[in-house]
Amino acid sequence: MSIDDSSPSTAAAAAHEELAGAVTLSVTRYPVAPGHRVNVRSGPGTTYRIVRTLPYGASVPIYCQRPGEWVTGPYGTTNVWDNIADGEYVSDAYVRTGSDGYVAPRCG
């Protein structure tokens, strides 16, 4: 028995992979403030647990943003928190977005 690579399920899987790749590539990455190793939190505030720490020179995607604890950092004082991965947030005060407001949709 041979596998036909042009079968509908194979074609659909290939189209899904191509679309998933396009979606990933369309997310803008923003630089983290130089000289800072930023804590990534499980929620939008410093009372949430640290899930990891970003290295110096990191850049991050911002999938959505939500209000949370007010934080002062190199880029001002803000209560905007950036969702950079599933269950991972950093304060927008440490991310150079070029804006004092939202640059991505609000998290649901």
Side-chain angles (χ1 to χ4, degrees):
M1 179 175 199
S2 67
I3 297 174
D4 180 4
D5 285 336
S6 63
S7 70
S9 62
T10 303
H16 176 74
E17 282 182 31
E18 185 174 327
L19 179 59
V23 169
T24 300
L25 294 175
S26 69
V27 175
T28 301
R29 295 185 72 86
Y30 298 91
V32 173
H36 292 273
R37 295 190 68 219
V38 176
N39 288 329
V40 179
R41 304 276 181 170
S42 62
T46 59
T47 59
Y48 289 87
R49 75 179 171 82
I50 297 171
V51 294
R52 63 184 171 118
T53 302
L54 297 174
Y56 295 115
S59 65
V60 294
I62 299 177
Y63 296 104
C64 63
Q65 295 174 297
R66 69 183 317 158
E69 179 184 344
W70 286 90
V71 172
T72 298
Y75 299 117
T77 299
T78 183
N79 73 331
V80 176
W81 285 75
D82 305 329
N83 174 248
I84 63 168
D86 188 28
E88 295 187 4
Y89 293 86
V90 295
S91 172
D92 198 59
Y94 287 88
V95 180
R96 193 180 82 217
T97 62
S99 172
D100 287 338
Y102 289 83
V103 297
R106 285 198 182 212
C107 301

